[in-house]
Amino acid sequence: MDDIQTATDRERAARFTAFYARDHPRVSAFAHRRVGDRRTAEELTAEVFRIAWERTLGGEEVSTGWLFVTARNLLSNHHRATARLTELHRRITDELDRAPASGENSAVLETLERLPARHRDVLLLRYWDGLNASETAEVLGCSVPAVWVRLHRAREAFRGTHAPPAHLAREGSPEESS
């Protein structure tokens, strides 16, 4: 014997299936016209209907208009992500086109690689990525005072591990000054 919840679930699933069959081609075409790539359009359409199904399971009614609003929002997110990725690729390409690292830069990079991750992370976030203390704290999941302590310890660990290239160490040595 079926209980009421099971019958309701079956009815909800049947309504959603009919809704999907009717509106999937329209939403897919809408997405395809805006991204120009069938595969990406299908992925976005699948996400629209996944969200619609979750809302349906939660007892909400989903309309055709709601599908198109959701598709438009997902398309906006997709375009922003694509723009960010394009900018990242451009920056990486610019970095790769620059002059090779000097001996000093190589020594710094090697030192960073030898540091424990906890020290390397705080140094990179602060100095490479240019985050301030509160932003670094947010990324690391700690307080701002903890960032300052971690940064102090990381600097000390870096100084203890870093050996400048031989030619730089000789240039700055007191023996040469005499």
Side-chain angles (χ1 to χ4, degrees), residues 11-25 49 53 64 67:
E11 290 169 7
R12 185 180 296 144
R15 278 194 319 272
F16 186 83
T17 300
F19 181 64
Y20 178 88
R22 181 187 75 224
D23 288 328
H24 180 274
F49 281 96
W53 176 245
T64 300
L67 290 175

Side-chain angles (χ1 to χ4, degrees), residues 43-145:
E43 288 172 3
L44 290 166
T45 303
E47 182 66 9
V48 168
F49 281 96
R50 183 197 60 79
I51 295 168
W53 176 245
E54 286 179 359
R55 287 170 119 5
T56 301
L57 287 178
E60 295 180 47
E61 286 297 318
V62 178
S63 67
T64 300
W66 180 92
L67 290 175
F68 281 88
V69 169
T70 302
R72 188 182 66 209
N73 292 340
L74 289 174
L75 283 161
S76 293
N77 291 345
H78 170 75
H79 290 307
R80 278 191 300 274
T82 301
R84 281 192 305 268
L85 188 59
T86 301
E87 175 60 18
L88 177 61
H89 285 189
R90 186 198 60 73
R91 286 187 6 231
I92 289 171
T93 301
D94 290 348
E95 280 290 314
L96 293 176
D97 286 343
R98 71 182 184 144
S102 67
E104 184 178 8
N105 288 342
S106 294
V108 168
L109 293 174
E110 288 170 11
T111 301
L112 284 170
E113 288 176 13
R114 289 193 307 265
L115 289 176
R118 69 182 184 278
H119 293 323
R120 183 177 47 249
D121 289 345
V122 72
L123 289 170
L124 291 175
L125 288 168
R126 182 68 180 104
Y127 297 112
W128 187 302
D129 299 316
L131 300 183
N132 64 33
S134 62
E135 293 165 336
T136 302
E138 187 175 346
V139 171
L140 296 176
C142 64
S143 67
V144 172

